[in-house]
Amino acid sequence: MAAFVVAVLVCLLPCLQASLPVMETVNLTQINDWGNKFEGMLLFPMKENVYGWEVTIQFNYPVVLQHNQAVTTIYHVSSDKKTYVLLNKLSDGGIQVNDTRSLTIIGQYSRMTSDPPIAATATFVNLVHDGQVAPSIPPAVATEKYNYAEVLEKSILFYEAQRSGKLPPTNRIPWRGDSALTDHGQNGEDLSGGWYDAGDHLKFGYPQAGTVSMLAWGLIEFKDAYEATGQLDNMYDCIRWPLEWLMKTHTARNEIYVQIGDGDLDHHFWGRAEDMNMARPSYKITADNPGSDVAAEYAAAMAAGYIAFKEKDPAFAAELLRHAKEVYAFALEYNGTYTSSLPKSAAQFYGSSDYDDEMCWGGAWLYKATGEEKYLTNSKNYHHPGNSWGQSWGNKDIGCKVLLHNITGEAKYATDITGTFRDWMPGGTIPYLSNGLVLRNAWGSLRHSANMAFIALVAAEYGLHTDAYRSWAKSQIHVALGDSGRSFVVGFGVNPPSHPHHRSSSCPMMPAPCSQEALSRPGPNPHTLYGGLVGGPSKEGSYQDNRQDYQQNEVAVDYNAGFQSAVAGLKHLSITGQL
Ligand SMILES: *[C@@H]1O[C@H](CO)[C@@H](O)[C@H](O)[C@H]1NC(C)=O
Ligand SMILES: *[C@@H]1O[C@H](CO)[C@@H](O)[C@H](O)[C@H]1NC(C)=O
Ligand SMILES: *[C@@H]1O[C@H](CO)[C@@H](O)[C@H](O)[C@H]1NC(C)=O
Ligand SMILES: *[C@@H]1O[C@H](CO)[C@@H](O)[C@H](O)[C@H]1NC(C)=O
């Protein structure tokens, strides 16, 4: 009972930071006390750089505080008026180490002349701290140059930090809370949940589903890696979150929501997801405004999800498969690109020029899930012979070829896969940076290399150029992990990025105010966005850990997808003695 009362009392104050360390405790000094009115000073010496702060004052009498409006706001007053919580205003969130923050405290109260004078004790909490415990580092394995188990653990944490909606009690990210709970469809359907796309707070179905397909494929092929590293349950939770959202967005047989949030409104807001208050319109495809690309990608994600979950959770898997079949039928019957159906929304961010690659890929996944011949026929009908550009959120051509090779064993697929990797590997048509990274595209250069590293590991698994593909994949992933002298994964390895272009992690702890100033402030992001793979080097090979550079230093759900699955592939090779 006592413990319960304490917990309730603590939670009258902001619960989220109940455990944050107090930097300084001081008494009210320089007091002038008139018996009914007083003034005094709180002088806090700064022991560290402060970003966002909170002062809790405990008086010995009930007090009506006339606080300094310029510097703080009153965040909380206890019902007995003896306890006040003050919060910094936006303009005064940052304080340098060794400075003294002085607060003039003026208040009214009443006492008898014989009573003791007014007194107060105040604590100062630096909201740059978030109470997040650094994940424990799994034991290193001598034959692994980088700790793959640690990367898997952290990459899954990155996806946890991208969660939108009502967070479960198992949430491991202390600086994230419930957000965007009212996301809804045009008839009020609940569309909360899913992942925020990148450093922003839009939810885009097309890249989100593409991410799930790649992650589920990695889990299917390299489950032993997740098992051996103790991450299997975390990994199931990781992909279940967006899979549940994908099912929600399928609101009628021929209707799928593909975007939540307006790109301009969202991008003009710099702050936490928990603090958003702009309109969040929703966008859907229908029979009249079809999108075979996005519908077939949803089908791929849910069919791959079915395979991943069919033993673990058969009921959930069956639901996934039902939705996958329906959305694929929708994609087939009402053809078109979602870019032409929704030219003013997702098209500007994740445009799609054709849907053949997703029809091929979705059909192949449904064939793998069901064994039904018609899906294989569909997949083959949409397959384009020849070398592929690569694998990305918008292009699944090579992924489909690898699946068709796996399913049919026909030589023509092997020929095109081999041709594609001839383009990609050193001496091919795609340039390389001096650090060894293949440069398909300078915006998010690392994810393109990581996606193909994963495809190479799967092709190798299916018996194609096994040694060459494995060693090439390893070289690409090792650039991301540190081979150029630095890590490109937040919170991992040597000199990792600490200023990712990511709104929520750039803010101090709730409830400190946060806005545009967080984008340009010089210090590292207050919260470590463990596991986020940043965009990476420019086409000249340069890289700056600069929060304002969204090409080199943003993170995104699709960036980590092939990357995490490739790391699982390397861990699989390590476990099986083939690294
Ligand atoms: C605050 O005042 C109390 C009571 O007078 C005293 O015991 C304590 O040492 C003071 N603390 C500081 C930091 O001056
Ligand atoms: C803060 O003060 C300490 C102790 O005097 C000193 O060692 C340190 O260099 C100072 N830091 C800065 C940034 O001035
Ligand atoms: C839809 O499919 C039909 C039949 O294959 C084709 O003639 C038509 O061009 C397609 N429409 C679009 C928008 O791709
Ligand atoms: C096809 O992929 C599955 C796993 O998804 C694998 O077990 C099987 O061996 C592969 N078949 C071929 C021919 O590569």
Side-chain angles (χ1 to χ4, degrees):
M1 187 60 190
F4 172 75
V5 171
V6 168
V8 169
L9 287 177
V10 168
C11 280
L12 290 176
L13 301 175
C15 271
L16 268 166
Q17 20 98 13
S19 59
L20 295 183
V22 169
M23 190 181 85
E24 189 68 53
T25 302
V26 302
N27 290 335
L28 192 66
T29 58
Q30 302 173 26
I31 299 174
N32 288 315
D33 184 352
W34 296 278
N36 58 352
K37 185 169 185 247
F38 70 92
E39 61 178 32
M41 294 288 281
L42 293 172
L43 300 171
F44 294 105
M46 295 294 122
K47 292 177 172 157
E48 56 188 9
N49 288 326
V50 167
Y51 181 44
W53 48 273
E54 186 186 85
V55 166
T56 301
I57 314 174
Q58 184 72 50
F59 293 100
N60 58 342
Y61 291 99
V63 161
V64 176
L65 199 63
Q66 291 157 326
H67 71 292
N68 184 346
Q69 298 283 351
V71 181
T72 60
T73 52
I74 295 178
Y75 181 69
H76 175 78
V77 190
S78 66
S79 55
D80 67 4
K81 292 202 160 38
K82 287 178 162 179
T83 307
Y84 279 77
V85 181
L86 308 183
L87 202 57
N88 73 277
K89 284 203 169 174
L90 191 56
S91 54
D92 198 44
I95 316 173
Q96 298 296 312
V97 61
N98 295 347
D99 283 1
T100 296
R101 161 53 67 219
S102 61
L103 293 178
T104 304
I105 303 296
I106 301 172
Q108 291 173 325
Y109 79 115
S110 86
R111 68 169 163 97
M112 308 289 229
T113 41
S114 55
D115 287 342
I118 186 88
T121 301
T123 57
F124 185 102
V125 169
N126 181 0
L127 293 170
V128 79
H129 300 296
D130 57 23
Q132 180 161 16
V133 181
S136 63
I137 297 180
V141 175
T143 50
E144 295 175 10
K145 182 169 180 190
Y146 298 98
N147 191 330
Y148 300 137
E150 181 185 352
V151 184
L152 290 178
E153 171 184 36
K154 290 180 174 170
S155 181
I156 292 171
L157 276 175
F158 164 70
Y159 285 107
E160 210 163 303
Q162 293 302 102
R163 284 178 174 183
S164 179
K166 172 103 189 122
L167 300 187
T170 51
N171 170 45
R172 295 178 293 169
I173 313 292
W175 45 272
R176 290 303 322 280
D178 297 346
S179 62
L181 296 178
T182 58
D183 281 357
H184 61 274
Q186 292 163 21
N187 298 306
E189 302 94 337
D190 168 30
L191 298 178
S192 64
W195 283 326
Y196 295 121
D197 181 59
D200 58 359
H201 303 127
L202 295 163
K203 299 195 296 198
F204 286 118
Y206 186 50
Q208 188 165 162
T211 297
V212 177
S213 304
M214 291 288 273
L215 286 173
W217 198 1
L219 175 56
I220 294 163
E221 295 295 340
F222 304 124
K223 189 174 172 185
D224 57 351
Y226 289 104
E227 264 163 351
T229 56
Q231 293 301 320
L232 188 58
D233 285 339
N234 288 334
M235 183 52 184
Y236 280 124
D237 289 347
C238 172
I239 59 171
R240 182 189 279 267
W241 191 263
L243 282 168
E244 282 177 347
W245 184 74
L246 291 177
M247 289 198 283
K248 266 189 188 180
T249 65
H250 183 209
T251 43
R253 197 175 173 89
N254 295 327
E255 181 177 282
I256 301 174
Y257 281 88
V258 300
Q259 181 181 340
I260 313 290
D262 172 276
D264 292 329
L265 290 179
D266 186 278
H267 286 183
H268 280 119
F269 167 79
W270 191 275
R272 305 179 192 92
E274 292 78 1
D275 296 338
M276 288 189 291
N277 58 14
M278 78 290 275
R280 285 176 60 85
S282 54
Y283 304 86
K284 64 182 174 182
I285 55 164
T286 60
D288 292 338
N289 285 297
S292 306
D293 35 24
V294 67
E297 179 58 73
Y298 279 37
M302 292 190 282
Y306 162 79
I307 298 172
F309 275 99
K310 69 181 178 204
E311 277 148 33
K312 162 95 181 155
D313 186 344
F316 178 62
E319 272 299 279
L320 287 169
L321 188 59
R322 181 177 70 77
H323 284 284
K325 287 175 170 178
E326 282 185 23
V327 298
Y328 195 74
F330 171 33
L332 206 52
E333 189 172 353
Y334 299 96
N335 61 345
T337 63
Y338 90 128
T339 300
S340 30
S341 293
L342 296 168
K344 293 203 163 51
S345 51
Q348 295 172 27
F349 300 91
Y350 291 99
S352 164
S353 52
D354 75 299
Y355 50 75
D356 291 6
D357 52 329
E358 283 90 12
M359 293 301 289
C360 179
W361 164 252
W365 275 113
L366 271 163
Y367 178 77
K368 275 179 88 77
T370 64
E372 288 175 39
E373 212 54 43
K374 68 175 180 188
Y375 292 119
L376 182 55
T377 307
N378 290 328
S379 178
K380 287 176 166 179
N381 283 347
Y382 285 96
H383 157 259
H384 288 206
N387 294 359
S388 301
W389 182 87
Q391 180 83 4
S392 77
W393 56 263
N395 193 327
K396 292 86 186 188
D397 192 56
I398 185 68
C400 187
K401 287 182 163 77
V402 171
L403 290 177
L404 287 174
H405 166 70
N406 172 259
I407 294 165
T408 69
E410 287 173 35
K412 62 180 179 183
Y413 301 117
T415 303
D416 289 348
I417 297 164
T418 304
T420 301
F421 278 108
R422 205 175 294 128
D423 288 344
W424 274 79
M425 288 169 70
T429 57
I430 304 176
Y432 274 71
L433 298 178
S434 58
N435 69 11
L437 186 75
V438 65
L439 190 83
R440 171 82 281 184
N441 188 297
W443 189 336
S445 51
L446 289 165
R447 50 84 189 249
H448 293 292
S449 106
N451 285 343
M452 283 304 271
F454 171 61
I455 298 288
L457 289 170
V458 177
E461 207 65 21
Y462 296 167
L464 286 175
H465 309 278
T466 302
D467 291 342
Y469 287 7
R470 284 176 178 167
S471 80
W472 179 79
K474 186 164 109 175
S475 74
Q476 292 301 306
I477 295 300
H478 282 194
V479 174
L481 297 181
D483 268 9
S484 73
R486 69 164 308 146
S487 160
F488 292 101
V489 180
V490 180
F492 171 83
V494 173
N495 189 22
S498 57
H499 298 62
H501 180 93
H502 184 265
R503 285 166 177 72
S504 290
S505 68
S506 77
C507 292
M509 196 63 179
M510 290 172 270
C514 181
S515 188
Q516 201 67 29
E517 98 293 346
L519 172 59
S520 51
R521 67 179 283 274
N525 289 24
H527 312 301
T528 304
L529 183 64
Y530 286 106
L533 177 70
V534 296
S538 71
K539 66 178 190 303
E540 291 81 28
S542 64
Y543 168 76
Q544 282 198 321
D545 182 13
N546 174 355
R547 197 179 299 116
Q548 301 192 60
D549 187 331
Y550 53 82
Q551 295 207 359
Q552 292 184 14
N553 232 30
E554 191 158 1
V555 293
V557 291
D558 81 279
Y559 287 15
N560 268 68
F563 170 73
Q564 182 182 312
S565 290
V567 172
L570 295 175
K571 185 69 194 178
H572 158 79
L573 296 179
S574 169
I575 298 163
T576 53
Q578 303 177 84
L579 189 61

